[in-house]
Amino acid sequence: HASLLIDILDPIEVEFITKAQNIQNQFRVYISKNRAMRGFLRFTPSGFRAQQRFADEVARSIQDLNALVEEVMSLYKIDEVLNNTTLRFLEHHFPESCYFLAHLSYYAPSIPAPSCSLTKPSYLSPKD
């Protein structure tokens, strides 16, 4: 989703693009680290401390990305961010990240299980 956010922003939105690129790079690191973690699961029960810490790190990055998308979305609603997308596209990120955070909370008890709202997104509300 960080890659998608980078793609929809106008190149003049350097601050947002840089933040998204930093998150994107962090997720690349997590992909490699996850492959290594799977090797430990061959001889270590799930839920070991390093796995919990890793889940915490990933959850914080997801929350950082959520905050960035929320910021872009709030500026989008008042026409203050240059982009080539729709509100619907921006909002589609949240249910997926909520689902991912819910799965991470299984591996790290310190991550509260999110409560995902299934209400209509704002792009379906009568005021838009």
Side-chain angles (χ1 to χ4, degrees), residues 22-124:
N22 290 338
I23 294 169
Q24 179 185 42
N25 290 335
Q26 192 60 53
F27 281 116
R28 286 185 180 130
V29 170
Y30 294 151
I31 289 169
S32 296
K33 193 170 182 178
N34 188 55
R35 287 187 189 117
M37 283 286 187
R38 280 189 274 166
F40 286 100
L41 290 172
R42 287 180 289 162
F43 55 87
T44 306
S46 183
F48 59 100
R49 288 236 198 247
Q51 186 183 35
Q52 291 177 13
R53 186 174 43 110
F54 178 52
D56 283 335
E57 291 172 16
V58 174
R60 277 193 303 276
S61 292
I62 292 169
Q63 292 163 345
D64 290 346
L65 181 58
N66 277 350
L68 181 60
V69 173
E70 285 175 359
E71 184 178 2
V72 169
M73 197 169 67
S74 68
L75 292 173
Y76 175 91
K77 288 179 178 180
I78 57 174
D79 293 328
E80 287 190 19
V81 66
L82 298 173
N83 66 83
N84 61 352
T85 193
T86 63
L87 184 58
R88 181 179 187 170
F89 181 81
L90 289 169
E91 287 183 338
H92 96 276
H93 162 79
F94 298 111
E96 293 175 23
S97 67
C98 187
Y99 174 82
F100 196 53
L101 285 169
H103 277 72
L104 285 172
S105 69
Y106 172 78
Y107 297 102
S110 63
I111 301 170
S115 60
C116 303
S117 172
L118 297 177
T119 59
K120 287 184 179 181
S122 69
Y123 62 83
L124 293 177

